[in-house]
Amino acid sequence: MARPPSPARPGPSRVAVVGAGMVGLSTAWFLQERGVSVTVYERKGVASGSSWGNAGWLTPGLATPLPEPAVLTYGVRAVLSPSSPVYVPPSANPSLLRFLTGFARNSTAPRWLRAMRALVPINSLSLSSFDTLAEGGVQAETVEAKSFLAAYRTAEERRVLLEELEQIHAAGQSMEFDVLDGDEARGTEPSLSDEIGAAIRLHGQRYIDPGHFVHALADAVRARGGEIRERTEITEVRDASSGVTVLTGDGGSGSFDVVVLATGAWLGRHARKFGVRSVVQAGRGYSFSVPVEQVPADPVYFPAQRVACTPLGDRLRVAGMMEFRKPEAPLDARRIKAIAEAARPLLRGADLDARQDEWVGSRPCTTDGLPLIGATRSPRVFAAGGHGMWGITLGPATGRLLAETIVTGERPPQLAPFDPLR
């Protein structure tokens, strides 16, 4: 049984949340904790965006800014190759070129370190926020990863992550890990092939089945009296001193004290009207699941190939790619094949040709690698998005802090670097 919401503090009584992914539903749930009535609008279905098919990692220790110096080492030729882990189509439009210019400008060591320091406070709330959801009745587990492995062919390849872990520590975020050779890595995880010659075992991380978790979160919001209106497109958000009106594609409307825009890669569609000028670009990720002779006990990451593997039931979810394209673009089978071929020599007993659940989802990326969380130019319209690869990890912490902001009128210090108007 979920515990009843606590009485509301002075503030809004009716809030609309646009978007039923991890970020939007977490915001709705934490608003309910504070006694607020919520209505969630979703243009498709619960978890239909980037929440469903991602790797499901709860890894605050690795939640780092996406623009990093290593990205610049790919070079133009690499990012134009369909098999590259980071892919930019040669026919990039002006909006994408603007994003890439800003992204490159932020891919320097000093800017990465500054952004990393901004993420440390919200990262520290990540796992405890999942615990709060569980204690409040959300019927989905988070699994402790006892041997979360980052595996490499060589010790030289591993050096990149070791240096990044040093920088993460320098930014104020702790991460415990062990350095393993290939035999030690295979002793820990027999599904690794003989190609693996070095690894890092990370401690203190978790993982989930993201689709199942987000649907359980939606069930919890409904059980507390919240309404979730699926397959309902928001066509306009109108702000007035008396409140905010949302207009829907079916001709309907609703009036609220506050509206939260948690629409992922589509955030700019409505937020731009309220002064949010930051470009939110779709960084599309792909995944599929395969049978494995011995499913890994815990997640396995191949950083050099940027391929993430997560055990889900009797299959292994294999995910990867950062493809900068329009979020509505169809799945490109070449990306799926590229991920499979990158993983093939590194996994033992995985039938990478027996793929199921092939999927593409659009992560909402910003040029500085930091999310957009907080009030817009209107004190009645809030943004919650732009988390890049970390919307699952940071979704509940985002909802927790944003609900506090909306109800109390005071912005927690953890949100200061994420001003949507920056």
Side-chain angles (χ1 to χ4, degrees):
M1 289 286 292
R3 66 174 183 269
S6 58
R9 299 177 65 175
S13 60
R14 299 184 69 246
V15 173
V17 178
V18 186
M22 179 68 93
V23 174
L25 289 170
S26 293
T27 303
W29 192 93
F30 278 100
L31 282 167
Q32 289 177 312
E33 277 287 271
R34 293 174 173 271
V36 177
S37 172
V38 296
T39 300
V40 180
Y41 292 90
E42 168 54 51
R43 68 190 185 92
K44 290 186 177 180
V46 168
S48 60
S50 59
S51 289
W52 183 85
N54 63 76
W57 292 358
L58 310 185
T59 51
L62 292 178
T64 61
L66 187 59
E68 58 182 3
V71 171
L72 299 181
T73 66
Y74 280 105
V76 174
R77 181 173 297 179
V79 300
L80 294 177
S81 168
S83 62
S84 171
V86 179
Y87 175 71
V88 178
S91 57
N93 59 38
S95 176
L96 176 54
L97 291 174
R98 180 178 154 217
F99 168 82
L100 293 173
T101 300
F103 191 87
R105 190 181 303 120
N106 284 290
S107 296
T108 64
R111 292 195 178 197
W112 182 91
L113 185 59
R114 184 166 67 243
M116 184 67 236
R117 287 176 175 147
L119 286 170
V120 169
I122 193 170
N123 285 351
S124 68
L125 295 176
S126 170
L127 298 182
S128 65
S129 298
F130 275 92
D131 293 339
T132 299
L133 292 177
E135 292 162 4
V138 176
Q139 298 295 308
E141 67 172 348
T142 65
V143 183
E144 180 184 357
K146 296 180 175 62
S147 60
F148 195 116
L149 289 180
Y152 299 85
R153 282 191 167 96
T154 67
E156 177 62 22
E157 284 184 344
R158 181 178 62 191
R159 184 175 55 83
V160 176
L161 182 54
L162 288 173
E163 291 176 353
E164 185 171 303
L165 290 171
E166 289 180 6
Q167 293 299 314
I168 291 172
H169 181 73
Q173 184 163 294
S174 62
M175 164 72 92
E176 294 184 15
F177 61 92
D178 305 320
V179 177
L180 309 179
D181 63 24
D183 289 337
E184 290 169 328
R186 276 183 293 278
T188 300
E189 183 44 73
S191 63
L192 295 174
S193 78
D194 291 338
E195 292 279 320
I196 299 302
I200 298 172
R201 179 168 53 206
L202 307 172
H203 298 286
Q205 312 304 298
R206 306 184 200 174
Y207 65 98
I208 59 173
D209 178 333
H212 174 72
F213 192 99
V214 175
H215 277 278
L217 183 53
D219 291 342
V221 169
R222 291 189 182 102
R224 294 165 146 215
E227 181 183 5
I228 299 178
R229 297 187 57 186
E230 298 180 84
R231 295 167 185 80
T232 303
E233 179 87 35
I234 297 298
T235 57
E236 188 178 356
V237 178
R238 293 179 181 172
D239 178 34
S241 59
S242 58
V244 190
T245 300
V246 296
L247 305 181
T248 61
D250 58 7
S253 65
S255 297
F256 302 90
D257 302 314
V258 163
V259 169
V260 177
L261 303 174
T263 49
W266 293 266
L267 184 65
R269 184 170 296 174
H270 295 299
R272 194 172 296 113
K273 173 181 177 181
F274 299 100
V276 180
R277 301 301 179 202
S278 296
V279 177
V280 178
Q281 169 64 41
R284 289 158 35 108
Y286 286 75
S287 74
F288 51 87
S289 70
V290 295
V292 186
E293 289 177 5
Q294 183 174 340
V295 178
D298 289 301
V300 175
Y301 182 32
F302 301 115
Q305 293 74 27
R306 294 181 180 251
V307 171
C309 303
T310 306
L312 295 179
D314 61 354
R315 296 177 70 85
L316 184 68
R317 175 169 290 174
V318 183
M321 193 61 65
M322 178 59 72
E323 179 191 54
F324 292 124
R325 295 182 68 185
K326 291 182 179 180
E328 300 90 353
L331 181 148
D332 189 332
R334 295 176 299 173
R335 312 290 176 263
I336 294 286
K337 182 179 179 182
I339 296 169
E341 293 310 310
R344 194 182 301 276
L346 307 177
L347 287 170
R348 189 192 307 276
D351 188 350
L352 288 154
D353 297 319
R355 297 187 292 269
Q356 295 180 7
D357 306 317
E358 294 185 352
W359 173 89
V360 62
S362 296
R363 313 176 189 99
C365 301
T366 60
T367 57
D368 60 5
L370 299 178
L372 305 165
I373 310 169
T376 65
R377 191 170 56 203
S378 165
R380 290 168 291 278
V381 179
F382 290 76
H387 293 76
M389 296 171 63
W390 309 114
I392 290 292
T393 296
L394 297 180
T398 295
R400 174 180 171 181
L401 294 169
L402 188 56
E404 179 182 342
T405 303
I406 292 169
V407 173
T408 69
E410 300 292 331
R411 182 176 67 181
Q414 295 94 334
L415 293 187
F418 311 137
D419 186 346
L421 303 181
R422 66 179 185 273

